[in-house]
Amino acid sequence: MQLLRSLLFAAIFYPATAAYVLAGLFASLFGRRATHAVVLNWVDFHHWLAEHLLGIRTHIEGTIPPGPHLIAVKHQAMFETIEMARIANLPVIVMKRELADIPLFGWLTRRYGVIPVERSAGAKALRAMVAEGRQAVATGRPVIIYPEGTRERPGETPPLRPGFAGLYRALGLPVVPIAVDSGRLWGRGLVKRSGTVTFKVAETIPAGLKRDEVEARVHAAINALELSPEAGAQLFGCGDDAL
């Protein structure tokens, strides 16, 4: 049954996404607000499909405060990269450049508001990320970053990438850490499992802390929902093709 639901989800969501991209291109003629409306409608559509077709519900513990913040989110699946746009009140999103360079789709993401990062570019990428982050803060929007840099399997808790500390220091914003356990249900493979994905919003961390302290606090907070490595291996198997 889950395979059938997952196939149906893919058959609906990805063609619909192409249609939303075209609608977004048209909406861009009428200004950025119209573009935002199309993107947020696509996000709501994804949420509806996930809940009603895949049986994946969202549970949010805590509240994201209003105003500009640096929101640091655990990354286990595509699910939260879309869902956070719904939860976090029109955030600007730090994302890998490969996604922002996809024809048409990438153009729409830039129009919505993303900070594309070329992870192999080192200091140059950090300078570009900081410059675009400052522009985002000037608009009053929060900035989302996935500080571990890539999707991780349940139970994996790698150190934060250097870009997080650089952005934190440069923007001078408090941090809202969010733990996510989406990897239990939404792996890299086709089949998605039904259940509840929890977003646990931790206590806001003030600006201006030393790097070691802020990284330790953020790392602990975003991993608050992690399974043990043994539990993750039992759930997904030990192969590299599992999430």
Side-chain angles (χ1 to χ4, degrees):
M1 181 60 72
Q2 288 301 128
L3 174 60
L4 180 60
R5 288 182 177 184
S6 299
L7 287 169
L8 187 56
F9 173 86
I12 295 173
F13 176 70
Y14 291 106
T17 296
Y20 271 107
V21 168
L22 295 177
L25 296 176
F26 177 75
S28 68
L29 299 174
F30 301 95
R32 194 171 294 272
R33 285 188 178 182
T35 305
H36 290 168
V38 171
V39 172
L40 293 180
N41 190 270
W42 171 70
V43 168
D44 287 340
F45 176 69
H46 171 268
H47 177 82
W48 188 92
L49 271 185
E51 180 173 344
H52 292 88
L53 190 55
L54 297 176
I56 297 177
R57 291 173 171 77
T58 300
H59 173 66
I60 304 171
E61 296 182 6
T63 303
I64 298 175
H69 287 79
L70 184 57
I71 303 176
V73 186
K74 181 71 179 181
H75 188 19
Q76 291 186 340
M78 182 186 80
F79 182 81
E80 62 268 8
T81 63
I82 300 176
E83 191 72 7
M84 282 303 305
R86 187 182 70 87
I87 295 171
N89 189 26
L90 206 67
V92 173
I93 303 170
V94 177
M95 65 189 300
K96 61 182 180 180
R97 183 172 292 277
E98 297 95 305
L99 294 176
D101 287 343
I102 296 174
L104 300 183
F105 176 82
W107 185 91
L108 184 60
T109 64
R110 292 172 186 265
R111 185 70 176 165
Y112 161 81
V114 300
I115 301 174
V117 177
E118 188 174 351
R119 289 179 289 188
S120 62
K124 180 181 177 182
L126 178 58
R127 288 193 297 269
M129 180 172 65
V130 167
E132 295 197 48
R134 286 172 174 161
Q135 293 178 13
V137 171
T139 68
R141 296 168 67 182
V143 176
I144 286 181
I145 186 170
Y146 296 90
E148 292 172 338
T150 189
R151 286 181 292 179
E152 303 294 342
R153 291 187 294 182
E156 294 182 340
T157 59
L160 308 189
R161 295 287 184 92
F164 166 75
L167 197 60
Y168 169 77
R169 182 177 61 252
L171 299 186
L173 293 177
V175 183
V176 180
I178 300 180
V180 180
D181 61 356
S182 58
R184 298 179 302 103
L185 308 177
W186 191 294
R188 290 182 185 270
L190 173 65
V191 178
K192 316 304 179 190
R193 297 171 173 83
S194 61
T196 299
V197 173
T198 298
F199 290 76
K200 184 178 180 64
V201 183
E203 180 181 354
T204 300
I205 299 172
L209 300 181
K210 293 182 178 180
R211 176 174 177 173
D212 288 349
E213 181 179 359
V214 69
E215 285 189 337
R217 290 178 64 174
V218 168
H219 187 269
I222 68 172
N223 287 297
L225 297 175
E226 280 307 280
L227 297 170
S228 68
E230 293 78 13
Q234 290 175 1
L235 183 58
F236 290 99
C238 297
D240 291 339
D241 57 343
L243 176 66

